[in-house]
Amino acid sequence: MKDAIYFYKEDGENNIVLVSSYNEGDVRGVIFKPPVILERIINDFPKAKDNLYVLIDGVVFKLKT
């Protein structure tokens, strides 16, 4: 199991909103979260709108919100 860290950026800081674990072969499920999960993150953290990222194995991906 590995961790994926979801965060948004503000004032040069990375603000963590969610940490989830995934199996090594299931990276697609980490990057392509169901829309309801993304909506919940945006509702709880409005600054993450169009500003949401995920860190996987040292690589940062910007998510489409």
Side-chain angles (χ1 to χ4, degrees), residues 1-14:
M1 295 293 283
K2 294 189 172 195
D3 288 333
I5 302 170
Y6 295 82
F7 63 95
Y8 67 91
K9 297 179 179 187
E10 181 181 31
D11 298 329
E13 298 288 325
N14 295 340

Side-chain angles (χ1 to χ4, degrees), residues 6-44:
Y6 295 82
F7 63 95
Y8 67 91
K9 297 179 179 187
E10 181 181 31
D11 298 329
E13 298 288 325
N14 295 340
N15 299 286
I16 297 172
V17 297
L18 175 70
V19 176
S20 74
S21 296
Y22 67 96
N23 290 323
E24 200 165 328
D26 191 28
V27 173
R28 285 181 51 94
V30 173
I31 296 173
F32 299 106
K33 278 288 195 198
V36 67
I37 302 292
L38 296 177
E39 288 173 17
R40 188 174 300 151
I41 291 171
I42 300 304
N43 284 336
D44 291 345

